[in-house]
Amino acid sequence: QVIAPKQFIIATMLSSRFFIRRAGQQCLKPKQVTLFFSDDSHSDFAPQRKSVDTSNVQDIIQSHVDANKIMLYMKGNPSQPQCGFSARVVSILQREGVDFSSVNVLDYPSIREGVKEFSQWPTIPQLYVDGEFIGGCDIVTSMHESGELKDLFGGESEEGEQNE
């Protein structure tokens, strides 16, 4: 018995535009990069999300904030932020020369929503220092530029030492 494979949809990228065609049909430029997608992939290859028991998300967030002097909820991780605002806050914290902990909210949808309720602040990233919510990207940027963030961290930042 021969089982015919399901038909593949081929997306071809041409200068930031995708041309979609059915397998076997010609495309505009045959030397383009071609991606193959199939709707019969095994579930092992599907995107995976980490789950957190939603009944105690607030307790988990509280424990993060209590256990870490500087806690950042962000999209991505410090070595590879997944949004410009998170990248900006990471950059500021690195320039301040402080160690901080972070949670990638893209991996934990329940924490992503829970942290917004926890702080009553609608956006990510969110910075906490000594258990206190500081703010998002705009507030952290403003505090960094005014020197308030350095004072909050209680010491000289690397940037401040370089300016002297």
Side-chain angles (χ1 to χ4, degrees), residues 82-115:
Q82 297 295 307
C83 87
F85 300 113
S86 292
R88 175 90 174 133
V89 173
V90 166
S91 174
I92 288 170
L93 293 174
Q94 289 171 340
R95 278 189 258 143
E96 291 288 343
V98 296
D99 291 329
F100 62 98
S101 299
S102 67
V103 171
N104 179 359
V105 298
L106 297 177
D107 282 343
Y108 302 96
S110 56
I111 289 182
R112 182 180 186 171
E113 292 308 312
V115 76

Side-chain angles (χ1 to χ4, degrees), residues 8 11 15 30 53 55 61 66 82-83 87 94 104 114 121 126 135 138:
F8 286 96
S15 329
D53 181 11
S55 65
I61 294 168
D66 291 342
Q82 297 295 307
C83 87
Q94 289 171 340
N104 179 359
W121 189 262
Q126 292 187 11
D138 291 343

Side-chain angles (χ1 to χ4, degrees), residues 145-160:
E145 290 170 352
S146 71
E148 289 177 77
L149 203 55
K150 178 175 58 172
D151 296 339
L152 182 64
F153 294 142
E156 286 293 310
S157 68
E158 289 177 6
E159 191 173 88

Side-chain angles (χ1 to χ4, degrees), residues 116-135:
K116 293 174 185 179
E117 292 173 21
F118 185 81
S119 63
Q120 297 179 344
W121 189 262
T123 60
I124 305 290
Q126 292 187 11
L127 181 67
Y128 294 81
V129 177
D130 292 325
E132 181 182 344
F133 175 62
I134 302 304

Side-chain angles (χ1 to χ4, degrees), residues 24-85:
Q25 293 178 338
Q26 293 294 331
C27 195
L28 296 177
K29 291 186 179 179
K31 293 183 180 180
Q32 299 168 23
V33 175
T34 302
L35 306 170
F36 295 90
F37 300 99
S38 173
D39 61 354
D40 64 345
S41 291
H42 191 276
S43 63
D44 287 348
F45 299 106
Q48 300 295 315
R49 299 274 183 198
K50 298 172 182 128
S51 64
V52 173
D53 181 11
T54 56
S55 65
N56 66 351
V57 167
Q58 299 300 313
D59 295 334
I60 291 169
I61 294 168
Q62 185 67 55
S63 70
H64 290 165
V65 170
D66 291 342
N68 299 285
K69 178 174 173 48
I70 302 172
M71 184 72 211
L72 177 63
Y73 290 91
M74 62 180 292
K75 294 178 182 176
N77 59 58
S79 62
Q80 193 172 20
Q82 297 295 307
C83 87
F85 300 113

